[in-house]
Amino acid sequence: MGEASQRQFGSFAEFWADGEWAPFVETLHPGKNSPHTLAVHQQPAGAFPDPPMDEFLLMVITKGNRHVATQYGGTRFETKLSPGLIFLAPPNTETNYEVHGPHRMVSLAINTRAMDRFREQADFELPSDFGRLHEQTFHDPIVETLMLRMLEQAMMDHPVSDLFLDQATNTILTSLLCRSGMMVPDGEAPHPLSDQDIAKVARIIDERLEDNLNIADLA
């Protein structure tokens, strides 16, 4: 454990299925017709380098309280794991996580094509990434809630699951852009979403799965 993969993988779905960390993957949902992959990982202590992929990778910790050192390209930081803690790994970047104890997490890989489509829906210019958001861990209740809800929907394998996954992905991207400050006008500070806001967004997605929800609708 600790050596970067020498094999070539086209996506995290392939890497999680056949790469070095496959033995630690409890659940894997690569998606049928969608640009996102969901996985549940139960990992021991150790170093876990990931190969660069053309995908944004979100990880939310569900169990674990040990120290972790994270490196994305030339950016390195350290923190302590806790339930709800979120990591964002940028695309096309070698990453490494050195964890000092066992941990469990849910991961969501979003292909950059989804970001391109998301950008096309907006009636204003969006950046190509999330700025410096990957240089730190953070808590975001709406992102955490939707990732766990996406996992539930994927496990159900219902005909409307893909619709929910698409709408939830757009909401997650919107929340990340707001958090990064890229959608906040100069001089205005973003305000955190309340539990009622989060519940309302999830309810809207559930009730309007057949609609083509855009960023303005979710906002």
Side-chain angles (χ1 to χ4, degrees), residues 151-171:
L151 182 64
E152 292 176 0
Q153 285 289 331
M155 292 176 66
M156 289 172 59
D157 196 24
H158 191 274
V160 300
S161 293
D162 282 346
L163 288 172
F164 183 91
L165 294 177
D166 288 339
Q167 302 290 10
T169 298
N170 278 354
T171 307

